[in-house]
Amino acid sequence: MAALDELEREYDKAKRDRSFQRRLDELLRAYAGRPTPLFFARRLTKKLGGAKIYLKREDLLHTGAHKINNCLGQALLAERMGKRRIIAETGAGQHGVATATVCSLLGFECVVYMGTEDMRRQELNVFRMRLLGAEVRGVESGSRTLKDAINEAMRDWVTNVRTTHYLLGSVLGAHPYPTMVRDFHKVIGRETRGQILKAEGKLPAAIIACVGGGSNSIGIFHEFLKEKQVKLIGVEAGGRGHALGEHAARFDGGSPGVLQGTYSYLLQDDAGQVANTHSVSAGLDYPSIGPEHAMLKDTGRAEYVSASDSEALEACTTLARMEGIIPALESAHAVAEVIKRAPKMKKSDIAIVNISGRGDKDVGILRENLKLD
Amino acid sequence: MPLSFQNRPSLVAYVTCGDPDLATTREIVFAAIDAGAGIVELGAPFSDPVADGPVIQRASQRALRKGTTIDQVIQLAREIRQRSSAGLIVFSYWNPILHMGLARFAAAAQDAGVDGVLVTDLPVEEAGDYLREMRRRELATVFLAAPTSTDERLKAIAKASRGFIYAVSRTGVTGVRQQLPDDAQKLVRRLRKYSKLPIAVGFGISTPEQFMAVGGFAEAAVVGSAIVEIIERNRGKEPQSVAEFVRRLVAGS
């Protein structure tokens, strides 16, 4: 609790410190490559015959996903707090890579926890982290995926709290993480608003994003929360089926519960034990969901759907062939949804899809699943 | 019934219920009480025991594979209560209790003769409903105080606690250690400013020397991983092995 209180206090101070914001903005610009483009997907739009589809290109950010927005913010905070060591959990490895990246940039010792199952299916990212100088510790317990990596990261933090900052990668965990991580990603939505108004002179009818922990989606949604005519659609991992253990769609069978310091919708069994989950995408493979998403679902402000493993894999290929963009399997879930939704929308409507990351890391999985070579 | 601390230090023994199975846990608990444990913490296994080290993690996994539920832990408490007046604390993470229903849990625990509850991941700041329900059922509420807790939080923890206060001896998770850090004594000293309740020091205690050392500044010592590891390593003779270990541990107190 003391560490969380310290973090909250430090974050509050930083929010009011213009020099902190200036330094962060400068790094986001000159180092990470912001702003990211909002791209009109002409061929995909034509193929689907409905809404005009725009893609927010978080995949073009340094390290290949939106994660670095949050990593830069938290690393600067850790610096202010005088910590010398940063630890993180990672699912698909993008957050781990972004953390290792900023640790090299700012001179922190870095340890990343990753489930051994995830290490196997996202090998490229494991290598990248080690090349960047981070220590990657495989987690063998439980399901050997994201939630187990979080458990281990929390154990490390609690043991080394005096020297170490836990750089949590999504809008999960105890307060202030869900708020803070969301705030660091709000830049996505802010840019999108300016960009779509410039390109089309009006706001989109729908914004679609994949939801694992919920950071990229809340990052793009937040700017538009007050404009009810903008539909917000979160796409969860539909996995292989509806039975508990076959997917990671928290709003499909989950119920309120507490996991890792967060009270939100949780996939759990009758005894209150956390369920195993499945998704072809490591980054969406998590049994709980950011609490702000739970609120948006309960109030009806956002709609949550799911895409299956096969729909995501197919969407990957479609985007690659229609627009020359290979999305991360996580982001492909959002692409799968726009493929279903756009044809049912008016041609004058705009649908924006957040491409939260690029798919290089998924080449192994894509190769296993698609018969190409 | 009130939790009593008759020896100095008293032994609070933790076991993960259902490892290797509930019947054996029952025998282990009786053996531990006979050998000198004054209070027993009945651990309900959880899928994601974030505050626990590898020993208790493994025990939890084994107990979960046997299908151990929190209902069964309460039932076990009832059976133990029928033959013993030792203090019984149900030790669990918050989600299984929440899922069972706080009111249902509290009623069942009281009915079974449980003395108190310790919820590992429920900080006092989030404990409003919990405290109300526990007080209604006259169940002691045991909270964890850490070396990194601020004075303000120690005060709040002291205020919310009943029965005893669990002082965590170091920053970290459960698990046996070679030495007891200085953190422990300092924490207990700070707690005494805010509470007259007995204090039990836990995490890392496994030898008679460490046990006796705790007696120098606290009313009780909690031994968890050491006992769970003995259970893990002595298949088929768990109750005897635990009894022997407990007898050696408390010999000097």
Side-chain angles (χ1 to χ4, degrees), chain A residues 44-57:
Chain A
L44 186 63
T45 298
K46 189 149 176 243
K47 175 183 157 73
L48 296 174
K52 290 180 84 167
I53 299 169
Y54 276 82
L55 307 173
K56 182 58 172 159
R57 303 293 310 279

PDB file of all heavy atoms in Angstrom, chain A residues 44-57:
ATOM      1  N   LEU A  44      -9.747  -1.412 -48.500  1.00  0.00           N
ATOM      2  CA  LEU A  44     -10.584  -2.167 -47.553  1.00  0.00           C
ATOM      3  C   LEU A  44     -11.988  -1.591 -47.529  1.00  0.00           C
ATOM      4  O   LEU A  44     -12.983  -2.335 -47.511  1.00  0.00           O
ATOM      5  CB  LEU A  44      -9.953  -2.146 -46.157  1.00  0.00           C
ATOM      6  CG  LEU A  44     -10.630  -3.005 -45.087  1.00  0.00           C
ATOM      7  CD1 LEU A  44     -10.577  -4.482 -45.459  1.00  0.00           C
ATOM      8  CD2 LEU A  44      -9.972  -2.791 -43.724  1.00  0.00           C
ATOM      9  N   THR A  45     -12.072  -0.261 -47.530  1.00  0.00           N
ATOM     10  CA  THR A  45     -13.369   0.416 -47.550  1.00  0.00           C
ATOM     11  C   THR A  45     -14.163  -0.023 -48.767  1.00  0.00           C
ATOM     12  O   THR A  45     -15.343  -0.386 -48.669  1.00  0.00           O
ATOM     13  CB  THR A  45     -13.185   1.948 -47.579  1.00  0.00           C
ATOM     14  OG1 THR A  45     -12.507   2.352 -46.389  1.00  0.00           O
ATOM     15  CG2 THR A  45     -14.528   2.665 -47.657  1.00  0.00           C
ATOM     16  N   LYS A  46     -13.496  -0.014 -49.926  1.00  0.00           N
ATOM     17  CA  LYS A  46     -14.176  -0.372 -51.180  1.00  0.00           C
ATOM     18  C   LYS A  46     -14.652  -1.824 -51.128  1.00  0.00           C
ATOM     19  O   LYS A  46     -15.787  -2.135 -51.482  1.00  0.00           O
ATOM     20  CB  LYS A  46     -13.187  -0.179 -52.338  1.00  0.00           C
ATOM     21  CG  LYS A  46     -13.790  -0.307 -53.699  1.00  0.00           C
ATOM     22  CD  LYS A  46     -13.048   0.585 -54.725  1.00  0.00           C
ATOM     23  CE  LYS A  46     -13.634   0.353 -56.104  1.00  0.00           C
ATOM     24  NZ  LYS A  46     -12.629  -0.217 -57.041  1.00  0.00           N
ATOM     25  N   LYS A  47     -13.787  -2.712 -50.650  1.00  0.00           N
ATOM     26  CA  LYS A  47     -14.119  -4.141 -50.570  1.00  0.00           C
ATOM     27  C   LYS A  47     -15.336  -4.385 -49.685  1.00  0.00           C
ATOM     28  O   LYS A  47     -16.197  -5.195 -50.002  1.00  0.00           O
ATOM     29  CB  LYS A  47     -12.913  -4.914 -50.036  1.00  0.00           C
ATOM     30  CG  LYS A  47     -13.182  -6.398 -49.798  1.00  0.00           C
ATOM     31  CD  LYS A  47     -11.937  -7.061 -49.193  1.00  0.00           C
ATOM     32  CE  LYS A  47     -12.270  -8.329 -48.439  1.00  0.00           C
ATOM     33  NZ  LYS A  47     -12.624  -9.448 -49.312  1.00  0.00           N
ATOM     34  N   LEU A  48     -15.417  -3.651 -48.569  1.00  0.00           N
ATOM     35  CA  LEU A  48     -16.513  -3.904 -47.635  1.00  0.00           C
ATOM     36  C   LEU A  48     -17.793  -3.168 -48.021  1.00  0.00           C
ATOM     37  O   LEU A  48     -18.884  -3.532 -47.592  1.00  0.00           O
ATOM     38  CB  LEU A  48     -16.085  -3.538 -46.206  1.00  0.00           C
ATOM     39  CG  LEU A  48     -14.934  -4.401 -45.659  1.00  0.00           C
ATOM     40  CD1 LEU A  48     -14.461  -3.894 -44.297  1.00  0.00           C
ATOM     41  CD2 LEU A  48     -15.379  -5.863 -45.525  1.00  0.00           C
ATOM     42  N   GLY A  49     -17.629  -2.079 -48.812  1.00  0.00           N
ATOM     43  CA  GLY A  49     -18.796  -1.399 -49.364  1.00  0.00           C
ATOM     44  C   GLY A  49     -19.662  -0.634 -48.380  1.00  0.00           C
ATOM     45  O   GLY A  49     -20.832  -0.358 -48.644  1.00  0.00           O
ATOM     46  N   GLY A  50     -19.102  -0.247 -47.245  1.00  0.00           N
ATOM     47  CA  GLY A  50     -19.908   0.479 -46.262  1.00  0.00           C
ATOM     48  C   GLY A  50     -19.176   1.703 -45.773  1.00  0.00           C
ATOM     49  O   GLY A  50     -18.748   2.538 -46.578  1.00  0.00           O
ATOM     50  N   ALA A  51     -19.001   1.800 -44.472  1.00  0.00           N
ATOM     51  CA  ALA A  51     -18.369   2.982 -43.872  1.00  0.00           C
ATOM     52  C   ALA A  51     -16.941   3.211 -44.392  1.00  0.00           C
ATOM     53  O   ALA A  51     -16.274   2.283 -44.840  1.00  0.00           O
ATOM     54  CB  ALA A  51     -18.321   2.810 -42.366  1.00  0.00           C
ATOM     55  N   LYS A  52     -16.499   4.472 -44.284  1.00  0.00           N
ATOM     56  CA  LYS A  52     -15.117   4.806 -44.631  1.00  0.00           C
ATOM     57  C   LYS A  52     -14.236   4.368 -43.468  1.00  0.00           C
ATOM     58  O   LYS A  52     -14.454   4.792 -42.330  1.00  0.00           O
ATOM     59  CB  LYS A  52     -14.975   6.326 -44.826  1.00  0.00           C
ATOM     60  CG  LYS A  52     -15.668   6.844 -46.077  1.00  0.00           C
ATOM     61  CD  LYS A  52     -15.507   8.341 -46.221  1.00  0.00           C
ATOM     62  CE  LYS A  52     -14.189   8.697 -46.880  1.00  0.00           C
ATOM     63  NZ  LYS A  52     -14.147  10.106 -47.314  1.00  0.00           N
ATOM     64  N   ILE A  53     -13.246   3.557 -43.774  1.00  0.00           N
ATOM     65  CA  ILE A  53     -12.428   3.004 -42.701  1.00  0.00           C
ATOM     66  C   ILE A  53     -11.095   3.728 -42.576  1.00  0.00           C
ATOM     67  O   ILE A  53     -10.337   3.832 -43.543  1.00  0.00           O
ATOM     68  CB  ILE A  53     -12.176   1.503 -42.934  1.00  0.00           C
ATOM     69  CG1 ILE A  53     -13.520   0.758 -42.945  1.00  0.00           C
ATOM     70  CG2 ILE A  53     -11.262   0.930 -41.852  1.00  0.00           C
ATOM     71  CD1 ILE A  53     -13.421  -0.659 -43.433  1.00  0.00           C
ATOM     72  N   TYR A  54     -10.843   4.232 -41.384  1.00  0.00           N
ATOM     73  CA  TYR A  54      -9.561   4.859 -41.082  1.00  0.00           C
ATOM     74  C   TYR A  54      -8.828   3.989 -40.067  1.00  0.00           C
ATOM     75  O   TYR A  54      -9.450   3.421 -39.168  1.00  0.00           O
ATOM     76  CB  TYR A  54      -9.776   6.258 -40.487  1.00  0.00           C
ATOM     77  CG  TYR A  54      -9.973   7.332 -41.524  1.00  0.00           C
ATOM     78  CD1 TYR A  54     -11.230   7.539 -42.104  1.00  0.00           C
ATOM     79  CD2 TYR A  54      -8.903   8.135 -41.941  1.00  0.00           C
ATOM     80  CE1 TYR A  54     -11.401   8.529 -43.061  1.00  0.00           C
ATOM     81  CE2 TYR A  54      -9.071   9.127 -42.891  1.00  0.00           C
ATOM     82  CZ  TYR A  54     -10.332   9.321 -43.455  1.00  0.00           C
ATOM     83  OH  TYR A  54     -10.500  10.293 -44.406  1.00  0.00           O
ATOM     84  N   LEU A  55      -7.516   3.918 -40.210  1.00  0.00           N
ATOM     85  CA  LEU A  55      -6.704   3.114 -39.292  1.00  0.00           C
ATOM     86  C   LEU A  55      -5.774   4.027 -38.499  1.00  0.00           C
ATOM     87  O   LEU A  55      -5.019   4.816 -39.075  1.00  0.00           O
ATOM     88  CB  LEU A  55      -5.844   2.121 -40.089  1.00  0.00           C
ATOM     89  CG  LEU A  55      -6.580   1.221 -41.076  1.00  0.00           C
ATOM     90  CD1 LEU A  55      -5.581   0.413 -41.906  1.00  0.00           C
ATOM     91  CD2 LEU A  55      -7.540   0.277 -40.350  1.00  0.00           C
ATOM     92  N   LYS A  56      -5.856   3.955 -37.182  1.00  0.00           N
ATOM     93  CA  LYS A  56      -4.931   4.723 -36.325  1.00  0.00           C
ATOM     94  C   LYS A  56      -3.687   3.869 -36.155  1.00  0.00           C
ATOM     95  O   LYS A  56      -3.748   2.763 -35.604  1.00  0.00           O
ATOM     96  CB  LYS A  56      -5.591   5.025 -34.981  1.00  0.00           C
ATOM     97  CG  LYS A  56      -4.743   5.855 -34.024  1.00  0.00           C
ATOM     98  CD  LYS A  56      -4.318   7.193 -34.591  1.00  0.00           C
ATOM     99  CE  LYS A  56      -3.642   8.051 -33.534  1.00  0.00           C
ATOM    100  NZ  LYS A  56      -2.799   9.114 -34.147  1.00  0.00           N
ATOM    101  N   ARG A  57      -2.554   4.383 -36.619  1.00  0.00           N
ATOM    102  CA  ARG A  57      -1.368   3.563 -36.774  1.00  0.00           C
ATOM    103  C   ARG A  57      -0.445   3.531 -35.564  1.00  0.00           C
ATOM    104  O   ARG A  57       0.724   3.946 -35.613  1.00  0.00           O
ATOM    105  CB  ARG A  57      -0.589   4.031 -38.020  1.00  0.00           C
ATOM    106  CG  ARG A  57      -1.406   4.008 -39.313  1.00  0.00           C
ATOM    107  CD  ARG A  57      -1.780   2.603 -39.763  1.00  0.00           C
ATOM    108  NE  ARG A  57      -0.617   1.720 -39.794  1.00  0.00           N
ATOM    109  CZ  ARG A  57       0.264   1.675 -40.802  1.00  0.00           C
ATOM    110  NH1 ARG A  57       0.121   2.459 -41.847  1.00  0.00           N
ATOM    111  NH2 ARG A  57       1.280   0.843 -40.734  1.00  0.00           N
TER     112      ARG A  57
END
